Amino acid sequence: METEEKSRAKLDHAISEYFDAAGDQGSIVTGWIITASVQHPTMANSDGYFTQNSEGLPFHSQIGLLSAALDEKKNMILINMWKGDKN
C-alpha cells in the first residue's frame, strides 16, 4: 500500500496535468483543495466528507479557496436557473 505522502504527490501531479490540459494556457496551479462525499462502510445510512489540500497551503488560503468555490457554484446554479437549464 502506498504511503499518504506518495499518494498526495501523485494527486498533485494529476491535478497539475489536468489543468495544463484543460485550463488557460500559461496558468499555474498554486494550491488546491479536493472534497469528496464518502460513506463509511460500517454505517450504511451515514455520509460525510473527506477533504485534502495541497501541501503547504495555509489555513487562510484553504478557507478562501473553499469559499470562492462555494460562491462560484452558487452563482452558476443561479445563472442556470435563470436560463432554464436543468444542470
Side-chain angles (χ1 to χ4, degrees):
M1 181 179 258
E2 284 191 357
T3 65
E4 183 179 345
E5 186 177 308
K6 285 183 182 178
S7 294
R8 185 192 301 249
K10 282 184 175 181
L11 182 58
D12 191 59
H13 180 72
I15 290 169
S16 292
E17 273 191 343
Y18 175 79
F19 280 99
D20 284 346
D24 294 334
Q25 187 174 11
S27 62
I28 299 169
V29 176
T30 59
W32 52 263
I33 292 184
I34 292 185
T35 302
S37 175
V38 297
Q39 184 177 16
H40 195 277
T42 63
M43 296 182 246
N45 294 325
S46 69
D47 61 356
Y49 298 93
F50 175 81
T51 302
Q52 191 59 262
N53 57 275
S54 56
E55 189 173 348
L57 192 64
F59 290 129
H60 67 278
S61 296
Q62 293 174 39
I63 297 297
L65 276 173
L66 288 170
S67 180
L70 181 59
D71 289 345
E72 179 67 18
K73 182 56 81 173
K74 287 177 182 178
N75 289 339
M76 291 310 298
I77 289 170
L78 184 59
I79 288 168
N80 287 334
M81 286 177 60
W82 282 337
K83 291 181 178 178
D85 292 344
K86 304 268 183 197
N87 295 330

